[in-house]
């Protein structure tokens, strides 16, 4: 039998509670569950039983593949949320003009960093939906967000396993205040090994003008696009980078919703 593309198992410290939690994760995402004996290594499973593995443990959910592993971390989003709570500005919140009660569609969930920041900016009365095409990344980030203690001042991030270009076409016009795209940078800087695992699973297709126009149809206010300062990605889409810090490697562009043109 060829290996399955993705499966779920437990960490080495196996108990009934953890087994049930891992089974629940497997059922939630329609994945096979592989029973693991105490202290049994999973390296021999990769490439034989499964191509990649979601490991559910006491310390969270981790994606394993033959060349490394990757686990969810709030990372910089946690720091950005702390600064936002302290009244400091956040670039995404500023460019998108996010306010309490807004709805945000994050078409490229990735690590979930900007969605986490948006969930605080729009507050408990707002709505944030994140789309992720890669099932493996979707499971890790969605389960990580589920376990993250966001606080009563933030809404939950609803994660959908979906191709953003196709999903946008199914949505009514003006159904979100802000539509956000953060395509994977074409020219990555040096990164930690865990991020290289993420890049191998992430969607690398560039944002197309057609998808941008669908985003404008779905948005009520803005479509916001994050790009890399060292590329011409924004210019190719007809966007001009916002006048922000010249020391940042990130460029931000936005275009008004179709209804406002």
């Amino acid at each position: 039998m060829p290996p399955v593309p993705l499966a779920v198992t437990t960490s080495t410290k196996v108990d009934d509670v953890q087994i049930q939690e891992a089974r629940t994760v497997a059922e939630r995402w329609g994945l096979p569950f592989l029973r693991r004996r105490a202290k049994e290594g999973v390296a021999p499973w990769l490439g034989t039983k499964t191509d990649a593995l979601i490991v559910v443990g006491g310390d969270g959910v981790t994606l394993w593949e033959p060349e490394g592993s990757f686990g969810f971390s709030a990372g910089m989003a946690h720091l950005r949320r702390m600064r936002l709570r302290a009244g400091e500005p956040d670039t995404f919140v500023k460019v998108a003009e996010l306010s309490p009660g807004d709805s945000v569609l994050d078409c490229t969930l990735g690590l979930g960093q900007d969605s986490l920041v948006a969930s605080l900016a729009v507050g408990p009365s707002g709505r944030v939906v994140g789309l992720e095409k890669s099932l493996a990344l979707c499971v890790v980030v969605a389960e990580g967000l589920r376990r993250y203690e966001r606080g009563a001042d933030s809404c939950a991030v609803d994660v959908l396993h979906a191709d953003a270009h196709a999903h946008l076409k199914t949505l009514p016009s003006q159904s979100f205040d802000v539509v956000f795209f953060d395509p994977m940078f074409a020219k990555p800087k040096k990164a930690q090994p865990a991020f290289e695992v993420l890049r191998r699973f992430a969607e690398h297709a560039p944002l197309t003008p057609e998808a941008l126009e669908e985003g404008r149809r779905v948005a009520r206010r803005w479509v916001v696009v994050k790009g890399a300062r060292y590329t011409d990605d924004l210019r190719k889409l007809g966007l001009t980078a916002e006048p922000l810090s010249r020391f940042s490697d990130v460029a931000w562009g936005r275009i008004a919703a179709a209804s406002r043109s």
Side-chain angles (χ1 to χ4, degrees):
M1 290 287 292
V4 297
L6 186 66
V8 177
T9 192
T10 58
S11 67
T12 53
K13 296 181 180 180
V14 182
D15 57 37
D16 291 341
V17 173
Q18 192 178 104
I19 291 172
Q20 184 54 52
E21 184 181 7
R23 286 189 181 276
T24 299
V25 171
E27 291 171 4
R28 185 154 46 231
W29 298 98
L31 297 171
F33 172 76
L34 301 181
R35 186 69 179 259
R36 185 176 181 182
R37 297 189 300 272
K39 299 183 180 180
E40 180 181 11
V42 297
W45 293 5
L46 298 171
T48 54
K49 290 185 178 181
T50 181
D51 294 328
L53 196 59
I54 300 291
V55 178
V56 179
D59 57 348
V61 178
T62 307
L63 170 65
W64 286 82
E65 51 105 40
E67 296 186 51
S69 63
F70 164 77
F72 172 81
S73 170
M76 282 301 298
H78 185 71
L79 296 177
R80 289 168 62 190
R81 285 165 57 89
M82 289 175 61
R83 292 168 182 160
L84 202 58
R85 285 186 174 113
E88 297 181 32
D90 181 86
T91 302
F92 177 39
V93 174
K94 177 182 177 180
V95 173
E97 298 180 358
L98 296 182
S99 299
D102 280 349
S103 57
V104 179
L105 177 65
D106 184 348
C107 292
T108 45
L109 180 68
L111 295 169
Q113 303 284 292
D114 290 303
S115 280
L116 260 182
V117 173
S119 77
L120 174 60
V122 304
S125 63
R127 182 186 180 209
V128 178
V129 176
L131 308 179
E132 178 53 56
K133 185 175 181 180
S134 166
L135 179 57
L137 293 185
C138 187
V139 174
V140 170
V141 176
E143 294 299 329
L145 289 171
R146 185 185 296 274
R147 290 161 174 75
Y148 179 75
E149 295 190 13
R150 63 183 184 275
D153 56 359
S154 305
C155 68
V157 178
D158 297 323
V159 178
L160 301 178
H161 175 225
D163 174 77
H165 295 197
H167 188 76
L168 281 167
K169 295 178 181 179
T170 70
L171 296 175
S173 298
Q174 302 181 48
S175 50
F176 285 85
D177 291 299
V178 173
V179 174
F180 174 56
F181 293 95
D182 179 15
M184 181 67 71
F185 289 177
K187 298 179 181 179
K189 298 182 294 182
K190 291 183 179 180
Q192 296 296 321
F195 190 75
E196 293 304 319
V197 174
L198 180 145
R199 286 191 64 85
R200 283 193 286 275
F201 283 88
E203 168 65 28
H204 291 272
L207 175 60
T208 64
E210 294 76 17
L212 185 64
E213 284 304 305
E214 280 296 312
R216 294 185 67 206
R217 180 187 64 79
V218 170
R220 283 190 288 266
R221 188 162 67 239
W222 297 111
V223 175
V224 175
V225 182
K226 184 194 288 189
R229 188 178 293 278
Y230 44 81
T231 71
D232 59 355
D233 293 343
L234 294 182
R235 183 186 61 78
K236 288 179 179 178
L237 292 166
L239 302 177
T240 301
E242 294 291 303
L244 303 170
S245 173
R246 61 187 178 88
F247 300 106
S248 175
D249 290 329
V250 177
W252 296 80
R254 71 178 185 181
I255 187 170
S259 61
R260 291 183 54 182
S261 298

